[in-house]
């Protein structure tokens, strides 16, 4: 992996490998025929991706999200395998007889399945059996699994009911006939807390394919364990080499309200039990085509509850999301750096997610449209659209990505000249801040302060995802002669959220500002409000009661 990353780092932008796309005719869409929403999602997806309607397979299934092994075999695996064989997608000889818990015995030959796509309504988890081995790695592992991973490993040799199975496609960037030869059936899921969320995955993917993925990369390291942090470092290097700006948080806590989180095209992080910070804000959303992964053992344990990471990301508009139904242990989770490199090699998000998962018959799920190609519309095409007048709120991030490539080839001054041409012609708050940073690096402090002050005059306030950017700019300006611009911005920011974390972030900046300027009544009240909220929280904690906002 180290060699593969180093080779890729020499590229300024993605040089996508030419790969044959998975044909829609090889996609089989699986729905719960007892769930009208499941059937509707299947029909929606087939129409959106021009998948022949005869590729939809409806089977009566339990309505519960997690089911027993016996239910899984009786209601999902056995009838699905039989239906796939009947339709010619799977070649296998039924030998008769059953394995423990009811699995029908087949002699596998081959398959012609691009992906199975499970629609909301298909259970996501197989509960541990009463006789499941007690988890005691590496000696023994539970026989619990995600439905998706269990199906994916159904015909891989040496299949065991307990523990995991090595994925022959892991770290494999050129499949060819490998899935069929190895017996791996690639599986993805369209799911979420609501039907609209599940369909939103597809809408976000298709929009991103048309307009291109644009935004930034956010890496949330935890200092919990070196292996996970190394994965995140590698992912950051790959995406940075592709021209994306990267924000990295190396503190144990996650990105907070005082940190920028504008246009998160890629978010990779770990390790917190529940979504918090931006991801708990009601108005926060991901940009089109975003990929989101938070490594947590039970991130997909309940796909109907947005207090869990995976459905939360889906509800916020991400297009490619990852999760675990039960405890996978770190080595059994999706590897973000492998996913990033697979995308760079030209794989679809579904193929990349499959390549990023080391084990089958285990706990992982990939939630998203497996046909989605995040870089189908590349940076050059995005720039042509901008230059022809088809700009939107994300266009400035395409310009910034191009600037990063120019800076590597020709230096910061050339990147500054290129980016300056777009100021005032497209939404440009983040672009102005990028120009300010380049000016500072080139030694032009006065120009840097001017540009940063101009950025605060743009709309960095209506969208929750932009407010951290405004705070970052304020933090820069306060000690550098930009106190008045920072004061005006903080006064606007102070009125925008009732959360304690947000109030603390504004108050902290206001206290810093008070050392350089008169902060006035509004910000003095913001500090007092923050102090009062902290005191209330402390009283509630002492009394054992939940604190208010």
């Amino acid at each position: 992996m180290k060699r593969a990353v180093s080779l890729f780092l020499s590229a300024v932008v993605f040089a996508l490998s030419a790969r044959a796309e998975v044909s829609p005719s090889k996609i089989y869409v699986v729905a719960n025929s007892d769930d009208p929403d499941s059937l509707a999602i299947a029909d929606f997806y087939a129409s959106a991706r021009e998948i022949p309607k005869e590729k939809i397979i409806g089977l009566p299934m339990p309505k519960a999200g997690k089911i027993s092994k016996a239910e899984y075999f009786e209601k999902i695996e056995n009838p699905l395998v039989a239906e796939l064989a009947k339709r010619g997608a799977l070649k296998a000889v039924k030998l008769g007889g059953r394995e423990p818990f009811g699995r029908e015995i087949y002699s596998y030959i081959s398959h012609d399945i691009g992906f199975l796509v499970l629609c909301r309504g298909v259970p996501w988890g197989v509960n541990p059996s009463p006789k499941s081995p007690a988890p005691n790695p590496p000696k023994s592992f539970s026989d619990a699994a995600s439905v998706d991973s269990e199906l994916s490993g159904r015909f891989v040799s040496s299949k065991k009911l307990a523990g995991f199975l090595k994925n022959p496609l892991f770290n494999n960037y050129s499949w060819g006939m490998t899935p069929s030869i190895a017996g791996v059936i690639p599986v993805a899921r369209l799911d979420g807390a609501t039907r609209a969320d599940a369909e939103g995955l597809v809408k976000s993917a298709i929009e991103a394919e048309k307009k291109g993925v644009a935004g930034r990369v956010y890496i949330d390291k935890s200092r919990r364990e070196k292996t996970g942090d190394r994965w995140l470092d590698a992912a950051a290097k790959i995406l940075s080499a592709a021209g994306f700006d990267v924000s990295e948080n190396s503190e144990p806590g996650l990105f907070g309200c005082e940190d920028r989180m504008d246009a998160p095209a890629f978010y990779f992080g770990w390790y917190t039990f529940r979504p918090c910070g931006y991801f708990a804000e009601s108005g926060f959303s991901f940009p089109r085509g975003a990929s989101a992964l938070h490594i947590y053992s039970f991130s997909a344990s309940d796909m109907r509850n947005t207090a869990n990471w995976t459905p939360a990301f889906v509800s916020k508009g991400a297009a490619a999301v990852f999760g675990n139904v039960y405890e996978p242990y770190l080595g059994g989770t999706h590897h973000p750096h492998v996913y990033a490199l697979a995308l760079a090699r030209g794989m679809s998000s579904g193929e990349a997610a499959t390549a990023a998962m080391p084990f089958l018959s285990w706990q992982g799920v990939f939630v998203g449209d497996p046909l989605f190609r995040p870089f189908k519309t590349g940076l050059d095409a995005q720039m042509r659209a901008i230059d022809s007048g088809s700009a939107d709120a994300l266009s400035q991030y395409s310009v910034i990505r191009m600037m990063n490539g120019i800076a590597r080839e020709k230096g910061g001054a050339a990147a500054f000249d290129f980016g300056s041409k777009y100021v005032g012609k497209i939404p440009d708050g983040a672009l102005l801040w990028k120009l300010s940073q380049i000016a500072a690096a080139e030694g032009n402090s006065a120009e840097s302060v001017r540009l940063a002050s101009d950025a605060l005059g743009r709309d960095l306030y209506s969208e929750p995802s932009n407010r951290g950017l405004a705070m970052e700019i304020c933090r820069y300006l306060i000690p550098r002669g930009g106190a008045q611009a920072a004061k005006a911005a903080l006064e606007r920011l102070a009125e925008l959220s009732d959360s304690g974390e947000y109030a603390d972030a504004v108050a902290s900046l206001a206290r810093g500002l008070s050392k350089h300027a008169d902060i006035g009544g509004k910000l003095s009240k913001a500090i007092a409000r923050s102090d009062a909220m902290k005191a209330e929280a402390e009283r509630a904690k002492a009394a054992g009661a939940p604190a208010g906002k």
Side-chain angles (χ1 to χ4, degrees):
M1 181 63 202
K2 187 177 293 183
R3 178 175 178 274
V5 171
S6 65
L7 287 172
F8 184 72
L9 293 183
S10 64
V12 174
V13 295
F14 275 175
L16 297 180
S17 304
R19 284 182 54 83
E21 296 186 14
V22 177
S23 170
S25 66
K26 294 186 178 183
I27 302 297
Y28 289 84
V29 187
V30 182
N32 184 342
S33 62
D34 289 336
D35 184 338
D37 279 352
S38 187
L39 292 169
I41 292 168
D43 187 72
F44 164 80
Y45 181 59
S47 297
R49 285 300 192 182
E50 298 183 347
I51 297 168
K53 293 299 177 71
E54 59 266 24
K55 300 294 183 177
I56 296 175
I57 298 175
L59 299 172
M61 302 181 192
K63 293 185 178 181
K66 294 180 178 179
I67 57 178
S68 69
K69 277 202 176 297
E71 288 177 303
Y72 164 75
F73 290 127
E74 180 184 355
K75 297 294 186 180
I76 299 178
E77 184 185 291
N78 290 342
L80 179 57
V81 167
E83 188 63 28
L84 290 169
K86 178 181 176 182
R87 298 186 183 204
L90 170 70
K91 292 182 179 179
V93 178
K94 190 172 183 180
L95 301 178
R98 294 176 180 245
E99 295 179 0
F101 299 106
R103 168 173 278 161
E104 293 181 336
I105 300 174
Y106 283 82
S107 176
Y108 171 76
I109 301 172
S110 66
H111 74 74
D112 192 28
I113 301 168
F115 270 90
L116 292 181
V117 180
L118 313 183
C119 296
R120 184 183 187 275
V122 175
W124 58 81
V126 183
N127 289 320
S129 67
K131 295 183 179 180
S132 172
N136 184 27
K139 294 181 179 180
S140 64
F141 296 89
S142 169
D143 64 3
S146 72
V147 166
D148 312 41
S149 190
E150 198 70 61
L151 286 172
S152 191
R154 169 63 179 88
F155 290 108
V156 177
S157 61
S158 300
K159 178 72 183 72
K160 296 180 180 179
L161 289 177
F164 53 80
L165 176 69
K166 289 185 178 180
N167 177 12
L169 302 182
F170 175 60
N171 222 1
N172 186 333
Y173 306 101
S174 181
W175 286 6
M177 293 298 294
T178 304
S180 178
I181 294 170
V184 178
I185 300 176
V187 178
R189 172 177 291 269
L190 299 176
D191 211 332
T194 67
R195 171 182 164 184
D197 287 350
E199 293 179 351
L201 291 157
V202 184
K203 294 175 182 178
S204 178
I206 291 175
E207 182 185 8
E209 286 185 340
K210 291 178 179 177
K211 297 181 179 180
V213 168
R216 307 181 75 252
V217 178
Y218 294 87
I219 303 294
D220 240 337
K221 295 164 70 173
S222 73
R223 295 185 180 178
R224 181 182 178 92
E225 206 276 337
K226 290 182 179 179
T227 299
D229 284 348
R230 283 197 297 267
W231 295 351
L232 296 174
D233 285 338
K237 288 178 181 178
I238 292 166
L239 294 168
S240 176
F244 289 95
D245 271 352
V246 179
S247 286
E248 182 178 296
N249 172 33
S250 297
E251 298 301 317
L254 303 187
F255 283 106
C257 292
E258 72 279 8
D259 302 307
R260 70 183 295 185
M261 187 57 73
D262 50 305
F266 294 91
Y267 170 82
F268 300 141
W270 73 321
Y271 181 89
T272 300
F273 300 155
R274 301 292 186 192
C276 56
Y278 285 100
F279 306 119
E281 283 277 338
S282 60
F284 175 82
S285 62
F286 284 94
R288 62 177 179 257
S291 296
L293 178 154
H294 189 89
I295 300 171
Y296 172 59
S297 299
F298 303 96
S299 51
S301 64
D302 185 350
M303 286 299 299
R304 300 294 172 266
N305 185 353
T306 55
N308 292 277
W309 280 105
T310 304
F313 282 152
V314 175
S315 74
K316 298 296 184 182
V321 185
F322 308 79
N324 305 293
V325 174
Y326 293 100
E327 173 62 70
Y329 306 101
L330 179 60
T333 63
H334 288 92
H335 290 26
H337 57 306
V338 178
Y339 174 74
L341 188 58
L343 293 182
R345 297 285 184 88
M347 289 183 131
S348 72
S349 61
E351 292 170 315
T354 304
M357 170 48 68
F359 303 129
L360 302 177
S361 186
W362 200 226
Q363 316 304 343
V365 294
F366 169 68
V367 184
D369 175 4
L371 296 177
F372 172 40
R373 293 186 175 272
F375 301 107
K376 185 173 184 177
T377 296
L379 183 56
D380 287 343
Q382 292 175 37
M383 292 306 304
R384 287 195 296 271
I386 294 168
D387 292 338
S388 67
S390 299
D392 59 23
L394 294 175
S395 295
Q396 59 185 318
Y397 298 98
S398 300
V399 173
I400 290 170
R401 188 175 164 206
M402 185 66 75
M403 289 168 63
N404 289 335
I406 293 171
R408 291 178 185 180
E409 286 191 332
K410 301 179 180 180
F416 185 94
D417 290 343
F418 177 84
S420 297
K421 296 187 299 183
Y422 293 90
V423 172
K425 298 179 180 179
I426 60 175
D428 60 4
L431 174 59
L432 284 165
W433 176 226
K434 180 70 174 183
L435 292 167
S436 171
Q437 292 172 303
I438 295 175
E442 295 288 314
N444 193 340
S445 299
E447 179 70 355
S448 176
V449 169
R450 183 189 71 79
L451 289 163
S453 299
D454 287 350
L456 289 180
R458 303 304 201 254
D459 182 14
L460 302 181
Y461 310 96
S462 59
E463 296 292 331
S465 59
N466 286 332
R467 295 168 191 167
L469 171 58
M471 292 191 197
E472 180 175 287
I473 297 172
C474 287
R475 195 176 299 114
Y476 173 79
L477 284 174
I478 287 170
R480 293 176 174 83
Q484 291 307 310
K487 177 183 176 182
L490 288 172
E491 286 178 341
R492 296 181 68 179
L493 290 166
E495 301 172 347
L496 296 177
S497 176
D498 292 330
S499 81
E501 180 186 350
Y502 183 89
D504 287 347
V506 173
S508 177
L509 286 169
R511 290 187 182 95
L513 177 63
S514 68
K515 300 175 183 178
H516 300 270
D518 177 13
I519 62 173
K522 285 186 178 180
L523 293 181
S524 295
K525 289 180 180 178
I527 292 173
R529 179 168 171 265
S530 173
D531 290 341
M533 293 174 76
K534 286 182 179 178
E536 179 189 353
E538 288 298 322
R539 287 193 297 270
K541 183 178 180 180
K549 288 186 177 180

